[in-house]
DNA sequence: ATCCCACCTGGAGCGGACTCCAGGTCAACC
DNA sequence: GGTTGACCTGGAGTCCGCTCCAGGTGGGAT
């Protein structure tokens, strides 16, 4: 089972080292193993969890809710229905964002057309 | 030419009064006329500008950039090409957001399917 | 006359999500 | 054996975009 240095995780996930430390501190990331001199060695599981975190974060989920999801995930398989519910609600939210952006984009394009017509 | 009370503008634009005052203070909103006792009376132009602001804000444009757009708008018609450029760039940005959200949404749906398959 | 309500001002405070800093450790390379 | 570089810690600071507050004014209803 391979492990990853901080630099590798930064490279792979796109999070800064400070952000990773912050996520660990607040419990969004499970405690990370250390080597003999105290440096972090991330696991495969950390990486895949960080993929999820990136997805949720980039779709606008607040940290508080990601924390809730993290707790459910740690609590065992009986929380899977709750996790499904949480993700479904979030998916709806993402869809709403998309629809909203598409509508606003229409407004912007109109404005551009108007400006073009005035030139 | 009709004017609008603060309460009416709040109602129509969905911004809070504090936000409107804040926008005026930082120059995102042109100085608002006052009645004899110092209360704001917004114009039709304010309302339509606020519509634009709402659109830009809700598509994630930072205030600094909205300010730049506001300045261009005040500077006269010769800035229309610049405004078009700014809006076009923003529209690209909005499209990128949409694409990104759609991709992330796929990831979330996959995760949901996976959870369902595990139940 | 008094009460309430909408509004005013300047300035402080807040919440979220980091981001930076000082001072220190260790391992490795020259 | 000295320097470099990646990393450590705890805690303070930053940025953005508001949001709230105290104290005050003016106008309309009872």
């Amino acid at each position: 089972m391979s492990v990853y240095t901080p630099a590798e995780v930064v490279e792979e996930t796109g999070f800064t080292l400070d952000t990773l430390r912050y996520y660990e501190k607040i419990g969004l990331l499970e405690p990370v193993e250390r080597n003999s001199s105290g440096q972090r060695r991330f696991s495969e599981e950390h990486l895949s969890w960080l993929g999820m975190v990136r997805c949720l974060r980039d779709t606008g989920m607040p940290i508080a809710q990601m924390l809730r999801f993290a707790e459910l995930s740690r609590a065992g398989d009986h929380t899977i229905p709750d996790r499904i519910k949480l993700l479904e609600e979030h998916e709806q939210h993402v869809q709403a964002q998309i629809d909203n952006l598409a509508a606003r984009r229409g407004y912007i394009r109109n404005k551009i057309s108007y400006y073009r017509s005035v030139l």
Side-chain angles (χ1 to χ4, degrees), chain A:
Chain A
M1 232 171 85
S2 58
V3 292
Y4 300 86
T5 64
E8 284 163 351
V9 178
V10 165
E11 169 73 16
E12 287 218 17
T13 65
F15 290 117
T16 68
L17 185 44
D18 268 324
T19 298
L20 293 170
R21 289 198 271 246
Y22 168 68
Y23 284 171
E24 185 182 0
K25 179 156 64 182
I26 64 172
L28 183 55
L29 212 52
E30 297 234 20
V32 180
E33 306 283 299
R34 308 309 174 99
N35 70 2
S36 61
S37 57
Q39 299 191 352
R40 289 175 177 77
R41 289 300 177 259
F42 295 83
S43 70
E44 214 68 74
E45 286 70 43
H46 281 117
L47 277 209
S48 94
W49 172 249
L50 283 168
M52 189 76 213
V53 169
R54 172 148 288 283
C55 172
L56 296 177
R57 189 193 85 156
D58 288 0
T59 48
M61 184 181 286
I63 282 184
Q65 204 178 341
M66 289 197 276
L67 273 176
R68 163 141 181 73
F69 186 65
E71 276 154 28
L72 289 175
S73 300
R74 272 173 222 139
D77 287 354
H78 65 281
T79 66
I80 287 181
D82 289 344
R83 286 184 246 167
I84 290 175
K85 183 153 172 288
L86 190 153
L87 289 186
E88 278 178 338
E89 278 166 12
H90 186 58
E91 195 223 314
Q92 301 259 313
H93 185 68
V94 172
Q95 187 57 52
Q97 284 183 73
I98 291 173
D99 294 346
N100 183 37
L101 285 175
R104 305 291 190 185
R105 176 166 173 268
Y107 182 107
I108 294 168
R109 290 169 71 86
N110 270 348
K111 191 76 181 184
I112 293 172
S113 299
Y114 166 73
Y115 277 145
R116 287 240 175 74
S117 78
V118 170
L119 279 183

